[in-house]
Each structure stands twice: as C-alpha cells, then as structure tokens.
Amino acid sequence: MELELHDEGERKLNNLTLAVYILQAVSLFVGVTGLVGVIINYVKRDDVRGTFYESHFEWQIKTFWLWLLGTVVGAALCLILVGYLVLFALWIWYIYRIVRGFLNFNDRRPMP
C-alpha cells in the first residue's frame, strides 16, 4: 500500500526531509553533504513549522551541530591518541542518529 500525501506542498516537505537524511548518510564519506543538508534545514525551517516534519528537521539540525562539535573535540584529542576513539564513537553515533531518524520518518512518526 502506497502512502498518499495530502497535497503537493506536503510531498515537497516529505522529499526534502528524505533528501536531508540521504545527504547526512552520504556525509559519512563526503563530509560536505552534511553542511548542504543543514543549510536546507535552516532555509526550509519555516515551511515545516507545525508539521510532522518539524521534529525531523530539529533532529537533523541537532545531529549536524553535535557531530561538528564532536569532530572538533575528537580531532583536537587526536594529539593524545584518544581522539581516534572519540571520532570512531562519534561515527557510530552519527549512523545511529541517521538510521533512527529515517526509520521514524519512514513510519511517519515524529522524533522525540
């Protein structure tokens, strides 16, 4: 059974949310796509306000900024070698955030 979206506007928001999850996943290998995704989140933030997609945009934005902060801290700690563990743990956490967000999105559930 195929999900029917109510109108063209909702279809666009659905596609944008999915696109950002894809951009975040690709950023695991090509970092700049995560930046593109968060820019989309900020540019379209007002469009999703009050919708199911708003919680996903907030989740995606928070994921990006925490990932960036963790990357800076992890990179700085690489000088004492523990940073490599931090960066690996961050990579796993980032995958978890993308997968959890996408699964909730796919099930049409908002993020907590």
Side-chain angles (χ1 to χ4, degrees):
M1 186 166 114
E2 187 175 319
L3 172 69
E4 286 188 38
L5 300 177
H6 294 90
D7 61 22
E8 186 64 26
E10 186 173 354
R11 187 179 330 277
K12 287 181 182 180
L13 296 178
N14 190 76
N15 291 344
L16 274 175
T17 306
L18 176 60
V20 173
Y21 279 120
I22 291 169
L23 288 167
Q24 286 184 330
V26 171
S27 75
L28 289 163
F29 308 101
V30 184
V32 72
T33 61
L35 178 61
V36 173
V38 82
I39 289 171
I40 291 170
N41 286 140
Y42 280 114
V43 168
K44 293 301 209 174
R45 198 176 203 180
D46 288 339
D47 294 350
V48 300
R49 198 147 332 271
T51 70
F52 150 79
Y53 304 102
E54 182 177 15
S55 68
H56 286 275
F57 268 46
E58 295 300 323
W59 178 266
Q60 292 167 335
I61 290 168
K62 186 176 181 181
T63 298
F64 173 81
W65 287 114
L66 290 174
W67 168 81
L68 184 62
L69 176 65
T71 299
V72 169
V73 170
L77 290 174
C78 281
L79 296 172
I80 57 172
L81 301 180
V82 73
Y84 295 105
L85 290 173
V86 170
L87 291 174
F88 179 72
L90 181 66
W91 197 70
I92 299 299
W93 172 86
Y94 193 65
I95 292 170
Y96 162 78
R97 296 276 297 192
I98 294 167
V99 170
R100 181 171 179 208
F102 175 75
L103 290 176
N104 276 18
F105 168 75
N106 193 54
D107 291 342
R108 307 266 315 146
R109 291 185 313 204
M111 296 308 298

